[in-house]
Amino acid sequence: MNRNDDNSITYIAYKIAILLVLLILIFNADKIAPHILLYYYADNNYSDLEFMQAYLTTQIILSLLSVFDIGLIVVDYLKLKK
């Protein structure tokens, strides 16, 4: 592959798709947090505090990944603009 023709637009599109998936996961964190952080959620009776901690941890992790992805999109866009 030629170094000058690196398909930056394609990379930006992939990163935007990843960002959309992360945003969908952020908005559905209340449904996925127990399955990610509280194993055997249906079998055990977790308190509301434990559920809230799992929810907040999931929100923080997904938000940090989204910010990192936005940073990568900006860097690729600036490279493309040059």
Side-chain angles (χ1 to χ4, degrees), residues 11-44:
Y11 294 142
I12 290 173
Y14 289 148
K15 290 173 186 167
I16 289 174
I18 291 170
L19 180 63
L20 290 174
V21 170
L22 286 170
L23 290 175
I24 290 169
L25 290 175
I26 286 173
F27 290 124
N28 292 319
D30 58 335
K31 295 179 184 99
I32 63 170
H35 302 293
I36 294 175
L37 297 173
L38 299 176
Y39 304 111
Y40 307 111
Y41 180 70
D43 297 336
N44 297 321

Side-chain angles (χ1 to χ4, degrees), residues 40-78:
Y40 307 111
Y41 180 70
D43 297 336
N44 297 321
N45 293 326
Y46 289 103
S47 68
D48 288 339
L49 178 63
E50 289 172 328
F51 177 76
M52 189 55 77
Q53 287 174 343
Y55 173 74
L56 289 176
T57 303
T58 304
Q59 288 281 31
I60 290 169
I61 291 169
L62 292 173
S63 297
L64 289 175
L65 287 173
S66 296
V67 169
F68 179 68
D69 192 37
I70 290 170
L72 291 175
I73 291 170
V74 169
V75 167
D76 280 349
Y77 178 75
L78 291 176

